[in-house]
PDB file of all heavy atoms in Angstrom:
ATOM      1  N   PRO A 121     -58.791  55.167-170.504  1.00 98.00           N
ATOM      2  CA  PRO A 121     -59.825  54.178-170.909  1.00 98.00           C
ATOM      3  C   PRO A 121     -60.697  54.664-172.084  1.00 98.00           C
ATOM      4  O   PRO A 121     -61.276  53.896-172.802  1.00 98.00           O
ATOM      5  CB  PRO A 121     -60.676  53.991-169.645  1.00 98.00           C
ATOM      6  CG  PRO A 121     -60.334  55.114-168.772  1.00 98.00           C
ATOM      7  CD  PRO A 121     -58.953  55.605-169.132  1.00 98.00           C
ATOM      8  N   ASP A 122     -60.737  56.034-172.256  1.00 97.00           N
ATOM      9  CA  ASP A 122     -61.561  56.522-173.377  1.00 97.00           C
ATOM     10  C   ASP A 122     -60.834  56.604-174.697  1.00 97.00           C
ATOM     11  O   ASP A 122     -61.368  56.995-175.717  1.00 97.00           O
ATOM     12  CB  ASP A 122     -62.089  57.947-173.026  1.00 97.00           C
ATOM     13  CG  ASP A 122     -63.028  57.856-171.820  1.00 97.00           C
ATOM     14  OD1 ASP A 122     -63.720  56.865-171.720  1.00 97.00           O
ATOM     15  OD2 ASP A 122     -62.983  58.823-171.004  1.00 97.00           O
ATOM     16  N   SER A 123     -59.529  56.252-174.712  1.00 98.00           N
ATOM     17  CA  SER A 123     -58.760  56.335-175.955  1.00 98.00           C
ATOM     18  C   SER A 123     -59.120  55.194-176.870  1.00 98.00           C
ATOM     19  O   SER A 123     -59.522  54.124-176.454  1.00 98.00           O
ATOM     20  CB  SER A 123     -57.263  56.285-175.641  1.00 98.00           C
ATOM     21  OG  SER A 123     -56.930  55.049-175.082  1.00 98.00           O
ATOM     22  N   GLN A 124     -58.960  55.425-178.183  1.00 97.00           N
ATOM     23  CA  GLN A 124     -59.259  54.387-179.187  1.00 97.00           C
ATOM     24  C   GLN A 124     -58.370  53.142-178.930  1.00 97.00           C
ATOM     25  O   GLN A 124     -58.821  51.998-179.079  1.00 97.00           O
ATOM     26  CB  GLN A 124     -59.038  54.898-180.601  1.00 97.00           C
ATOM     27  CG  GLN A 124     -59.699  54.084-181.660  1.00 97.00           C
ATOM     28  CD  GLN A 124     -61.168  53.798-181.446  1.00 97.00           C
ATOM     29  OE1 GLN A 124     -61.955  54.694-181.126  1.00 97.00           O
ATOM     30  NE2 GLN A 124     -61.540  52.498-181.506  1.00 97.00           N
ATOM     31  N   ARG A 125     -57.141  53.409-178.557  1.00 97.00           N
ATOM     32  CA  ARG A 125     -56.204  52.306-178.321  1.00 97.00           C
ATOM     33  C   ARG A 125     -56.704  51.354-177.254  1.00 97.00           C
ATOM     34  O   ARG A 125     -56.717  50.139-177.395  1.00 97.00           O
ATOM     35  CB  ARG A 125     -54.841  52.921-177.941  1.00 97.00           C
ATOM     36  CG  ARG A 125     -53.744  51.981-177.546  1.00 97.00           C
ATOM     37  CD  ARG A 125     -52.442  52.710-177.438  1.00 97.00           C
ATOM     38  NE  ARG A 125     -51.498  51.994-176.643  1.00 97.00           N
ATOM     39  CZ  ARG A 125     -51.460  51.963-175.291  1.00 97.00           C
ATOM     40  NH1 ARG A 125     -52.312  52.735-174.599  1.00 97.00           N
ATOM     41  NH2 ARG A 125     -50.545  51.285-174.707  1.00 97.00           N
ATOM     42  N   MET A 126     -57.155  51.895-176.080  1.00 98.00           N
ATOM     43  CA  MET A 126     -57.636  51.063-174.994  1.00 98.00           C
ATOM     44  C   MET A 126     -58.966  50.395-175.391  1.00 98.00           C
ATOM     45  O   MET A 126     -59.252  49.246-175.039  1.00 98.00           O
ATOM     46  CB  MET A 126     -57.787  51.837-173.691  1.00 98.00           C
ATOM     47  CG  MET A 126     -56.472  52.369-173.147  1.00 98.00           C
ATOM     48  SD  MET A 126     -55.151  51.057-172.950  1.00 98.00           S
ATOM     49  CE  MET A 126     -55.683  50.223-171.494  1.00 98.00           C
ATOM     50  N   LYS A 127     -59.771  51.124-176.153  1.00 98.00           N
ATOM     51  CA  LYS A 127     -61.047  50.493-176.586  1.00 98.00           C
ATOM     52  C   LYS A 127     -60.756  49.298-177.548  1.00 98.00           C
ATOM     53  O   LYS A 127     -61.438  48.267-177.466  1.00 98.00           O
ATOM     54  CB  LYS A 127     -61.910  51.562-177.327  1.00 98.00           C
ATOM     55  CG  LYS A 127     -62.550  52.508-176.384  1.00 98.00           C
ATOM     56  CD  LYS A 127     -63.447  53.474-177.168  1.00 98.00           C
ATOM     57  CE  LYS A 127     -63.960  54.572-176.250  1.00 98.00           C
ATOM     58  NZ  LYS A 127     -64.406  55.732-176.969  1.00 98.00           N
ATOM     59  N   ASN A 128     -59.752  49.475-178.341  1.00 98.00           N
ATOM     60  CA  ASN A 128     -59.372  48.356-179.269  1.00 98.00           C
ATOM     61  C   ASN A 128     -58.878  47.134-178.449  1.00 98.00           C
ATOM     62  O   ASN A 128     -59.160  45.983-178.794  1.00 98.00           O
ATOM     63  CB  ASN A 128     -58.265  48.760-180.252  1.00 98.00           C
ATOM     64  CG  ASN A 128     -58.796  49.687-181.331  1.00 98.00           C
ATOM     65  OD1 ASN A 128     -59.986  49.905-181.421  1.00 98.00           O
ATOM     66  ND2 ASN A 128     -57.945  50.194-182.150  1.00 98.00           N
ATOM     67  N   VAL A 129     -58.118  47.398-177.412  1.00 98.00           N
ATOM     68  CA  VAL A 129     -57.566  46.310-176.610  1.00 98.00           C
ATOM     69  C   VAL A 129     -58.786  45.533-175.993  1.00 98.00           C
ATOM     70  O   VAL A 129     -58.833  44.294-175.995  1.00 98.00           O
ATOM     71  CB  VAL A 129     -56.630  46.844-175.480  1.00 98.00           C
ATOM     72  CG1 VAL A 129     -56.347  45.744-174.441  1.00 98.00           C
ATOM     73  CG2 VAL A 129     -55.344  47.330-176.124  1.00 98.00           C
ATOM     74  N   MET A 130     -59.777  46.299-175.517  1.00 98.00           N
ATOM     75  CA  MET A 130     -60.962  45.658-174.957  1.00 98.00           C
ATOM     76  C   MET A 130     -61.736  44.860-176.026  1.00 98.00           C
ATOM     77  O   MET A 130     -62.228  43.773-175.707  1.00 98.00           O
ATOM     78  CB  MET A 130     -61.889  46.703-174.285  1.00 98.00           C
ATOM     79  CG  MET A 130     -61.287  47.289-173.039  1.00 98.00           C
ATOM     80  SD  MET A 130     -60.640  46.092-171.864  1.00 98.00           S
ATOM     81  CE  MET A 130     -62.043  45.057-171.564  1.00 98.00           C
ATOM     82  N   ARG A 131     -61.780  45.390-177.228  1.00 98.00           N
ATOM     83  CA  ARG A 131     -62.443  44.732-178.307  1.00 98.00           C
ATOM     84  C   ARG A 131     -61.731  43.385-178.641  1.00 98.00           C
ATOM     85  O   ARG A 131     -62.375  42.336-178.784  1.00 98.00           O
ATOM     86  CB  ARG A 131     -62.489  45.610-179.575  1.00 98.00           C
ATOM     87  CG  ARG A 131     -63.722  45.451-180.374  1.00 98.00           C
ATOM     88  CD  ARG A 131     -63.649  46.320-181.608  1.00 98.00           C
ATOM     89  NE  ARG A 131     -63.323  45.520-182.777  1.00 98.00           N
ATOM     90  CZ  ARG A 131     -62.677  46.002-183.825  1.00 98.00           C
ATOM     91  NH1 ARG A 131     -62.291  47.225-183.884  1.00 98.00           N
ATOM     92  NH2 ARG A 131     -62.438  45.168-184.847  1.00 98.00           N
ATOM     93  N   SER A 132     -60.442  43.456-178.671  1.00 98.00           N
ATOM     94  CA  SER A 132     -59.625  42.270-178.886  1.00 98.00           C
ATOM     95  C   SER A 132     -59.907  41.184-177.862  1.00 98.00           C
ATOM     96  O   SER A 132     -60.090  40.010-178.145  1.00 98.00           O
ATOM     97  CB  SER A 132     -58.128  42.693-178.899  1.00 98.00           C
ATOM     98  OG  SER A 132     -57.280  41.657-178.863  1.00 98.00           O
ATOM     99  N   ILE A 133     -60.005  41.615-176.595  1.00 98.00           N
ATOM    100  CA  ILE A 133     -60.295  40.705-175.471  1.00 98.00           C
ATOM    101  C   ILE A 133     -61.682  40.064-175.660  1.00 98.00           C
ATOM    102  O   ILE A 133     -61.818  38.837-175.500  1.00 98.00           O
ATOM    103  CB  ILE A 133     -60.190  41.477-174.119  1.00 98.00           C
ATOM    104  CG1 ILE A 133     -58.737  41.726-173.831  1.00 98.00           C
ATOM    105  CG2 ILE A 133     -60.869  40.719-173.009  1.00 98.00           C
ATOM    106  CD1 ILE A 133     -58.478  42.577-172.588  1.00 98.00           C
TER     107      ILE A 133
END
Side-chain angles (χ1 to χ4, degrees):
D122 296 326
S123 64
Q124 197 52 49
R125 175 171 160 276
M126 294 308 283
K127 285 182 186 162
N128 286 354
V129 168
M130 290 313 301
R131 216 182 101 209
S132 167
I133 285 174

